Amino acid sequence: MKLLWKHLALGLAACLATATPLRAQQANDKPLRIVVPFAAGGAQDVIARYLGAKLTEKLGGTVIVDNKAGAGGIVAADAVAKATDGATVLLATGGAITIAPHLQAKLPYDPAHDLAPVALVGDTPMTIAVRTESPYKTLADVLRDAKAKPGQVTYASTGNGTVSHLTGALLAQAAGVDLLHVPYRGAAPALTDLLGGQVALIVTSAASIEPMVASGKARVLGTFSRAALPSLGTPPTVADAAGLKGMDVPVWVGVMAPARMPAAIVEKLSAALVEVCNLPETKQRFAQLGAVNTCGGGAALGKVITEDSQRWAKVIKQGGIKVD
């Protein structure tokens, strides 16, 4: 961290010398702040705190995790986009970066210009699951029934316009079926109604469904991932189960910085994050959270963001999806 602060000081000095408009007034002893767009306790929050602890060990300074939940991540993304202290970054996910721009008429920030990719650190894969008593034994059963009964097979999501909702819509569009979307306010109430039989299916993260699978209450019919997930009993991928292409949907987790942050600081932080991400213990810790460590620098994250944005723009347009 001392090197990070040294680069910060050099970066600020260079900015002042060249009369750039950068106004950050970062002091050498100011802690690095990781803003998390979710409440404390969730998988992304745990990932942020793990990364913060490892960065403290590696760089020798203080790291603070700041939870700013609200508006699907928009509150946190806006706060980081406008940060000028040179020491604030965002634990970014798709909601506020690759989905919101296609659903919101106007955002208080521009993800493409106000935020810069620093590092790609993980993937929290989505799944499609049923309660154990469900007559659906395979994803092929679901799609066959959905074709026979358009608009009658229901799937729960964690909210309108969320990646859970859009992943279900992607599957329906690719398979040429009409699934009835039932939005909930988060995974907990959606799972409650799934287990109670009020909805037939749920599209949710591996982390959310794993406890239900472990207790024998739910079965995963497919994962929206490139490879099988042993923690869920090794269900097939959706691509294999349904014979469909384009079903590898990374629900990425990365770190982004204000676009005005000096390049030297971004590069130093990126290198440190990639090094932490590649640790064997990181793989183990992420697996406990239903996540996969997918390590890469700013260019890797930028590529994922571009592909993700294109995917959701197409799904949203084709489905005529809107949010209130």
Side-chain angles (χ1 to χ4, degrees):
M1 188 70 73
K2 291 178 180 177
L3 289 174
L4 180 62
W5 303 149
K6 180 179 179 182
H7 279 293
L8 172 60
L10 291 173
L12 289 176
C15 289
L16 291 172
T18 56
T20 65
L22 180 63
R23 296 169 60 96
Q25 299 297 320
Q26 169 66 34
N28 286 346
D29 61 349
K30 195 170 185 70
L32 178 69
R33 184 166 63 112
I34 302 176
V35 178
V36 179
F38 304 99
Q44 289 81 6
D45 174 66
V46 175
I47 287 173
R49 293 178 189 279
Y50 172 85
L51 294 175
K54 289 300 179 183
L55 288 175
T56 297
E57 294 174 7
K58 183 167 293 295
L59 300 174
T62 302
V63 180
I64 295 173
V65 174
D66 183 5
N67 298 89
K68 285 187 179 296
I74 292 174
V75 171
D78 185 44
V80 174
K82 292 179 170 59
T84 59
D85 62 359
T88 295
V89 296
L90 175 70
L91 188 85
T93 60
I97 307 300
T98 59
I99 294 176
H102 306 296
L103 289 174
Q104 304 284 349
K106 186 175 182 181
L107 289 173
Y109 59 92
D110 182 343
H113 295 95
D114 297 336
L115 292 164
V118 177
L120 177 67
V121 296
D123 178 10
T124 53
M126 300 299 289
T127 69
I128 183 166
V130 296
R131 64 188 181 280
T132 302
E133 300 82 6
S134 171
Y136 297 133
K137 304 303 180 184
T138 67
L139 185 55
D141 292 341
V142 172
L143 299 180
R144 187 164 45 247
D145 204 24
K147 287 183 178 179
K149 305 172 184 177
Q152 295 183 47
V153 178
T154 55
Y155 81 93
S157 81
T158 56
N160 196 30
T162 63
V163 67
S164 169
H165 171 198
L166 299 183
T167 301
L170 172 67
L171 172 62
Q173 291 172 12
V177 299
D178 181 11
L179 296 174
L180 179 59
H181 172 231
V182 184
Y184 288 83
R185 291 183 178 273
L191 284 166
T192 296
D193 274 10
L194 175 77
L195 300 182
Q198 281 75 36
V199 287
L201 309 161
I202 188 171
V203 177
T204 190
S205 69
S208 295
I209 199 66
E210 187 173 0
M212 302 302 162
V213 172
S215 64
K217 296 178 181 178
R219 288 183 287 109
V220 173
L221 301 181
T223 62
F224 293 86
S225 57
R226 187 169 299 172
L229 303 177
S231 63
L232 298 175
T234 318
T237 65
V238 169
D240 289 340
L244 298 171
K245 295 181 179 180
M247 292 295 105
D248 173 22
V249 183
V251 187
W252 57 271
V253 179
V255 174
M256 302 186 78
R260 61 172 60 84
M261 182 176 278
I265 301 173
V266 172
E267 291 169 8
K268 191 69 180 179
L269 184 56
S270 177
L273 283 165
V274 171
E275 191 171 341
V276 168
C277 184
N278 278 308
L279 293 172
E281 61 190 281
T282 301
K283 180 179 181 179
Q284 182 179 3
R285 185 70 182 101
F286 280 23
Q288 293 170 349
L289 300 169
V292 179
N293 60 323
T294 51
C295 313
L301 177 56
K303 182 174 183 293
V304 168
I305 288 173
T306 297
E307 293 172 350
D308 210 41
S309 183
Q310 292 172 346
R311 177 188 301 110
W312 299 136
K314 181 179 178 180
V315 169
I316 290 166
K317 182 178 180 180
Q318 183 173 334
I321 297 171
K322 301 182 184 301
V323 294
D324 296 332

